[in-house]
Amino acid sequence: MIKTRMTDLFGIQHPIMLAGMNWISTPQIVAAVSNAGGLGTLAAASLSPENTRKNIREIREMTDKPIMINQPLVRATAKENIQVAIEEKVPFINYSLGKPWFIDQVHAYGGKVVGTIAIAKHATNAVKLGADALVVTGHEAAAHGADATSLILVPLVASMVKVPLIAAGGFCDGRGLAAALALGASGISMGTRFILTEESTVHQNFKQLCLEATEQDTLYSNVFDGMPGRALKSAMSEKMMGGDSLTLLRAIPNALKIKKVLKQNWSQFMATAWSMMFGEGQNAIQMARMATGAVRHQKAIYEGDTREGFMYAGQAIGAIHDLPNVKDLIERIIAEAEAVLLKAPDSVIGRPKNRNITNT
Ligand SMILES: Cc1cc2nc3c(=O)[nH]c(=O)nc-3n(C[C@H](O)[C@H](O)[C@H](O)COP(=O)(O)O)c2cc1C
């Protein structure tokens, strides 16, 4: 049993969170993680508001344990989805990629807000805005880590803010959990590790590619969805790295497919397209990459198309060699971390308390 500020804040048994992963963190695996004593997080990035509500209710049919919802704020239906989460009184809301406007509303019903950051100075801003905890994402992570690795970012942020930190990016076992605690975090968030479980709905072909991959087999670039991110090396991700002169042209049918998934009408769709093309820090190429990336991502995850699909994955793939169920995985990580923490003093020659330590 490892009790930390993270387990206290969320009222959970183990300091392990399922990362919000677009298309992947669906009700079944969210409920499995929460039922196993971790914190299951529903990914709402590509959900319409109707489906967000449906997914929350589906999860509640499967578990009465605490759950969280993840929403990247740059996404088309972010405002509506957050509103649904508030109406449904989801106890924990995790935002990424944007500035939250809803913290007071969540606090009003006793909920908590968890910000995701990948750059140290954003941690201070998030806490100033009222975030109750932070997910700190290192460069090793699948999808959108920035340049600093977890080893640098977690202790740096721990020295800057007082809220509980959840370390993300490269964590997949008990050594990682023990290390995260030593770095100043109160627990870990795992994406790639949970992709490789029985409950994950990722197509077997991509699970197999991940199992065969080494820690060298990821690519970090902005070609996948317009923002710097990390994906599994595959035929398509390597092709995307080589450049795609038809990006803008291809984006049109792909954007229309996304409109359908999000159940947007034409005026909502045009408003999204406009803000993505001309909004702060956005441009047409980025929008085109996001639309095309989303379609290719679905081809990987749902269809297992290893030629046309690509999938985000973190460097942890090199350290993952099995497909356990979620419960066994969480129990194994906790047992490993306990063993590492108990043995830690043995790795120091001579107990620190028995020695004169001079801080140089
Ligand atoms: C397929 C995929 C989709 C993701 N989608 C999201 C998302 O919608 N929102 C988000 O905040 N992070 C997203 N992430 C990032 C994860 O939340 C998490 O930060 C990352 O997986 C942690 O690194 P790890 O994979 O090394 O555990 C995604 C990651 C993957 C693999």
Side-chain angles (χ1 to χ4, degrees):
M1 182 95 166
I2 299 180
K3 207 169 135 44
T4 68
R5 291 174 74 203
M6 176 178 173
T7 56
D8 278 358
L9 179 73
F10 297 108
I12 54 178
Q13 203 183 344
H14 305 303
I16 295 178
M17 160 187 156
L18 165 68
M21 291 180 283
N22 192 12
W23 317 110
I24 296 175
S25 301
T26 52
Q28 188 194 7
I29 190 165
V30 172
V33 171
S34 287
N35 282 331
L39 182 64
T41 306
L42 172 70
S46 293
L47 296 180
S48 65
E50 294 89 326
N51 282 338
T52 299
R53 197 181 303 278
K54 197 165 148 251
N55 277 229
I56 294 168
R57 292 183 179 179
E58 250 177 62
I59 296 167
R60 284 184 162 149
E61 295 281 305
M62 293 186 271
T63 184
D64 57 2
K65 299 280 186 336
I67 56 163
M68 182 148 78
I69 186 166
N70 168 273
Q71 177 66 58
L73 302 183
V74 290
R75 289 290 178 151
T77 49
K79 279 212 164 70
E80 296 91 328
N81 288 353
I82 293 281
Q83 189 52 38
V84 168
I86 290 170
E87 285 164 19
E88 294 289 319
K89 294 192 168 48
V90 176
F92 306 111
I93 298 189
N94 170 219
Y95 70 86
S96 57
L97 305 173
K99 204 168 164 185
W101 61 87
F102 47 83
I103 295 186
D104 288 348
Q105 283 168 274
V106 178
H107 287 166
Y109 65 81
K112 304 274 183 223
V113 176
V114 180
T116 296
I117 60 113
I119 293 177
K121 70 176 180 201
H122 295 169
T124 328
N125 297 343
V127 172
K128 270 195 199 135
L129 290 169
D132 301 283
L134 297 176
V135 172
V136 179
T137 312
H139 185 62
E140 305 90 328
H144 305 116
D147 283 343
T149 59
S150 296
L151 191 60
I152 299 301
L153 197 61
V154 176
L156 179 57
V157 174
S159 71
M160 292 165 59
V161 296
K162 293 200 162 40
V163 299
L165 304 182
I166 303 162
F171 297 97
C172 62
D173 57 15
R175 280 179 198 272
L177 172 55
L181 299 180
L183 292 176
S186 303
I188 53 174
S189 167
M190 302 192 302
T192 302
R193 177 63 267 195
F194 278 122
I195 289 176
L196 295 165
T197 57
E198 279 176 14
E199 289 88 342
S200 140
T201 50
V202 169
H203 195 284
Q204 190 56 36
N205 291 353
F206 269 81
K207 284 185 176 172
Q208 195 54 39
L209 282 185
C210 286
L211 288 173
E212 286 164 11
T214 73
E215 83 289 353
Q216 303 293 319
D217 292 329
T218 63
L219 299 167
Y220 183 76
S221 168
N222 66 357
V223 298
F224 306 119
D225 71 356
M227 291 173 279
R230 185 177 302 284
L232 176 69
K233 243 185 218 177
S234 65
M236 178 48 76
S237 60
E238 294 201 88
K239 191 169 158 198
M240 290 164 92
M241 292 289 282
D244 184 351
S245 54
L246 295 177
T247 301
L248 276 173
L249 213 58
R250 262 192 245 284
I252 297 164
N254 291 332
L256 291 174
K257 283 185 197 156
I258 301 302
K259 168 184 175 290
K260 206 166 152 199
V261 172
L262 294 176
K263 300 191 173 148
Q264 289 187 301
N265 61 34
W266 280 106
S267 67
Q268 287 167 326
F269 175 71
M270 292 314 290
T272 304
W274 182 268
S275 77
M276 290 186 84
M277 283 196 289
F278 304 112
E280 201 183 331
Q282 313 267 8
N283 59 47
I285 292 287
Q286 180 169 341
M287 185 204 164
R289 283 180 171 160
M290 199 181 276
T292 302
V295 169
R296 287 174 174 159
H297 213 226
Q298 289 180 77
K299 274 189 189 299
I301 291 168
Y302 297 143
E303 296 166 30
D305 185 337
T306 52
R307 260 169 28 89
E308 293 296 317
F310 93 95
M311 189 181 82
Y312 288 118
Q315 292 176 336
I317 44 170
I320 299 172
H321 310 294
D322 60 358
L323 287 173
N325 67 47
V326 157
K327 185 168 184 293
D328 288 350
L329 174 66
I330 290 180
E331 283 171 5
R332 181 171 86 196
I333 291 176
I334 295 297
E336 279 172 6
E338 282 170 346
V340 170
L341 291 168
L342 285 172
K343 275 201 304 201
D346 298 343
S347 58
V348 178
I349 299 172
R351 292 290 169 97
K353 65 177 177 202
N354 296 337
R355 294 160 63 199
N356 280 332
I357 297 176
T358 319
N359 198 344
T360 50

